[in-house]
Every structure is written in C-alpha cells, then in structure tokens.
Amino acid sequence: QVQLVESGGGLVQPGGSLRLSCAASGSQFSLNIMGWYRQAPGKQREFIARITSTSSTFYANSVKGRFTISRDNAKNTAYLQMNSLKPEDTAVYYCNALSLGYEYWGQGTRVTVSS
C-alpha cells in the first residue's frame, strides 16, 4: 500500500510559480514511478509529467519547458515545479504512483491561476 499526500496548491497570478509536493508512504519509494496529472473543470484528467526510478522524466507538450518534475528518495517525496503559469493551468493536480504493479492516487491539490 502507498498513500500519497499532495500539498502546495493555491492561487497564483499569471506568470507566477508554484511548487507542488507529493509525500509518499511505504518503503519502496525509490522504485516507484511517480507522476502528476491534472483535471480542469469539465475536462478529463490529463497526464502532466512522470519521473522514473532512475530519474528519467517525461512531460506533456502543454507544460514542457515550464514545469519540472523531481524526486527526493531520502524524503519519499516527489515535486512539481511550475513556472510561467497560465490561466489554462488552473486545475486540481493529482500525484500518481506506480508501485509493484499497482497504481495509487493522492487526493489532489487545487491550483488556480488568475489575476
């Protein structure tokens, strides 16, 4: 079992930055593939970024060059640094973990980009 707790969401002006954190329970964190997804109002949940156990990273085209995913295995935490935020980045952001063949989700943290 893996439990994921996101934090760091909030209200930010266009062009601003936020860093989301995802704290994970469990002893296999370093082996997990960690990811971030988001769901905007009235839309389906979409993939944002992923980081493998060897720290290879993958990004959706919509965030490439603006968002950075990282991980700290010593802290069992994954991060999503979001820069140059746009109103269309407004959504609930979810942390995702793939661990030993199972998939886990956090409860989500809301990000609102508005002036």
Side-chain angles (χ1 to χ4, degrees):
Q1 278 280 4
V2 174
Q3 291 186 321
L4 305 173
V5 179
E6 301 100 331
S7 60
L11 173 64
V12 63
Q13 292 187 342
S17 298
L18 280 176
R19 188 177 80 156
L20 305 182
S21 299
C22 173
S25 66
S27 60
Q28 300 292 330
F29 179 81
S30 63
L31 302 179
N32 295 350
I33 297 173
M34 301 299 298
W36 288 94
Y37 291 69
R38 68 185 180 190
Q39 187 167 17
K43 294 187 176 181
Q44 290 189 332
R45 191 172 298 188
E46 63 172 348
F47 165 78
I48 295 299
R50 180 184 300 124
I51 186 166
T52 70
S53 59
T54 57
S55 294
S56 293
T57 57
F58 306 88
Y59 296 94
N61 287 337
S62 58
V63 304
K64 199 173 294 182
R66 298 189 299 125
F67 291 10
T68 302
I69 189 171
S70 61
R71 65 193 299 158
D72 185 337
N73 291 337
K75 295 182 178 179
N76 278 16
T77 301
Y79 303 96
L80 185 68
Q81 177 67 44
M82 305 186 296
N83 299 329
S84 302
L85 283 162
K86 306 174 182 180
E88 51 264 42
D89 294 317
T90 294
V92 177
Y93 284 70
Y94 295 91
C95 181
N96 172 274
L98 299 175
S99 176
L100 302 178
Y102 293 91
E103 185 173 39
Y104 302 90
W105 293 93
Q107 82 289 350
T109 185
R110 186 174 301 276
V111 172
T112 302
V113 184
S114 175
S115 55

